[in-house]
Amino acid sequence: MSFDIPVPDLTSERIGNTGTPGVWHFDSGVAGRTLMISSLVHGNELCGAWAIKELLASGLTPRRGALILAFCNLDAFDTFDASRHDASRYLDEDLNRVWSEARLAEPNSRERRRAVELRPWVERADWLLDLHSMHEPGKPLQLTGTQPRNIALARRLQAPEYVIVDAGHKDGVRMRDFGRFGDAAQVDACALLTECGYHGDPASITVAKDQIARMLAESGVVDTADVPAGWLQTAPAAQRVLEVTQPVVAPSMEVRFAENWQGLERLAKAGTLIGWADGQPIVTPYDNCTLIMPSLRQLVPGVTVVRLARDYVAPAQ
Ligand SMILES: [Zn+2]
């Protein structure tokens, strides 16, 4: 899989204007939401960094509320090498698994120390758009978590086509689910994590810019007409909302797929063969099961190799 995105030069962007490296803050002085847009939570996911670099260059400032722009794991990004880009995902541990009081109170890794620096900005944000990319080629995915307000926001944005309701990782809390973003009582604390496509695909930058444009306008921080020209793409005719029911976790290195799954395959019948783990078949547990982000690229015992999803049905009000 070729890597076709150049490495952005962040020499000036990494300074920020807040005293926190890589963090920019623009306050309109007018009442309104504070929107945070974050990139490089994983050091090898360049689409968001490119999009925020270009947003800064555009000179856009908020009309209402405030805008926070963040380049998150700059230390991991500094080790980026396109020929082995997965190696720069993080340095000591995944920055997107440390967002709990217990882990932040024990800043014994470079990622936890960075999270402690970023924390005041994440806490200040009313809305968060966290831009990521994927190990494998595939359509962009909006990962909303399980808060109904995030699912509703993803629908108001009208893109991308696929909205995935995911419960998050049992091995640690994501930035998207930190603090009031994970609190059901905080009815306007919305956070979305967009997987913009394959790490090395230039189209992922187009997706990141489109998502930024939609969040900027929907949050009220700017008007649609303020968004840089060409950023807003045509929305899909309809969105599909899928709910992840379970991950398939590798018990060992002995995991194979039955087909070269690309992701978003919808398998009609329960019992359809997905692959094998330790020689035992892995099958779909229900009809119309959709495969989300299948990948054996980072296979180690305990890693999620595919998530299984069914059509989302909103809970009764
Ligand atoms: Zn990521």
Side-chain angles (χ1 to χ4, degrees):
M1 185 57 52
S2 68
F3 201 99
D4 299 326
I5 296 183
V7 181
D9 177 356
L10 300 181
T11 306
S12 52
E13 291 82 1
R14 68 188 303 142
I15 298 167
N17 67 351
T18 60
T20 304
V23 178
W24 296 79
H25 180 229
F26 303 96
D27 193 337
S28 68
V30 177
R33 291 190 180 95
T34 294
L35 170 64
M36 179 169 175
I37 303 171
S38 53
S39 66
L40 291 178
V41 163
H42 294 131
N44 60 329
E45 301 181 358
L46 306 184
C47 61
W50 269 112
I52 292 178
K53 178 182 168 73
E54 292 185 30
L55 189 65
L56 285 165
S58 79
L60 179 137
T61 52
R63 278 183 188 272
R64 292 164 290 271
L67 180 61
I68 298 166
L69 305 174
F71 302 92
C72 292
N73 201 339
L74 285 165
D75 289 346
F77 166 75
D78 287 340
T79 70
F80 183 85
D81 175 351
S83 67
R84 44 193 296 276
H85 55 83
D86 283 341
S88 57
R89 181 175 171 85
Y90 56 80
L91 297 175
D92 300 328
E93 65 177 321
D94 191 326
L95 178 58
N96 219 19
R97 304 287 182 273
V98 303
W99 293 92
S100 60
E101 293 296 345
R103 291 193 185 176
L104 295 176
E106 225 178 288
N108 52 10
S109 72
R110 283 171 283 187
E111 275 75 18
R112 290 188 195 190
R113 288 191 286 277
R114 181 58 172 156
V116 168
E117 287 180 357
L118 294 169
R119 174 181 185 156
W121 301 104
V122 179
E123 288 180 328
R124 186 184 282 221
D126 296 307
W127 283 16
L128 172 69
L129 174 65
D130 189 22
L131 297 166
H132 288 251
S133 54
M134 303 187 283
H135 300 306
E136 308 287 346
K139 291 192 172 186
L141 306 175
Q142 190 75 283
L143 307 186
T144 63
T146 55
Q147 300 290 349
R149 60 184 185 258
N150 288 339
I151 302 164
L153 174 59
R155 293 188 126 142
R156 293 204 302 282
L157 295 183
Q158 299 185 296
E161 179 181 0
Y162 285 92
V163 175
I164 310 298
V165 179
D166 63 315
H169 284 271
K170 65 173 171 21
D171 49 343
V173 179
R174 291 168 168 168
M175 192 165 79
R176 187 202 65 199
D177 300 322
F178 178 61
R180 60 193 174 125
F181 294 128
D183 181 349
Q186 296 282 332
V187 294
D188 192 49
C190 293
L192 299 174
L193 189 166
T194 312
E195 298 281 4
C196 298
Y198 165 61
H199 298 321
D201 184 353
S204 65
I205 301 173
T206 305
V207 173
K209 291 195 226 176
D210 180 60
Q211 284 295 301
I212 289 174
R214 290 170 190 278
M215 279 292 267
L216 282 168
E218 187 64 30
S219 65
V221 164
V222 301
D223 297 333
T224 302
D226 300 329
V227 167
W231 281 40
L232 201 57
Q233 305 296 304
T234 305
Q239 285 178 300
R240 289 193 48 201
V241 186
L242 301 166
E243 178 177 20
V244 174
T245 56
Q246 63 233 72
V248 175
V249 175
S252 68
M253 297 300 285
E254 299 301 313
V255 179
R256 283 185 300 138
F257 286 149
E259 291 183 36
N260 182 24
W261 305 116
Q262 301 299 302
L264 301 175
E265 289 90 350
R266 184 182 173 91
L267 304 177
K269 288 290 163 205
T272 302
L273 185 68
I274 300 170
W276 301 267
D278 288 340
Q280 299 298 309
I282 309 165
V283 300
T284 56
Y286 42 79
D287 290 351
N288 297 318
C289 178
T290 300
L291 307 183
I292 308 291
M293 289 194 284
S295 180
L296 298 177
R297 188 184 294 269
Q298 296 205 323
L299 181 61
V300 290
V303 85
T304 295
V305 293
V306 61
R307 296 154 186 83
L308 307 181
R310 64 183 167 213
D311 294 335
Y312 175 73
V313 180
Q317 294 296 306

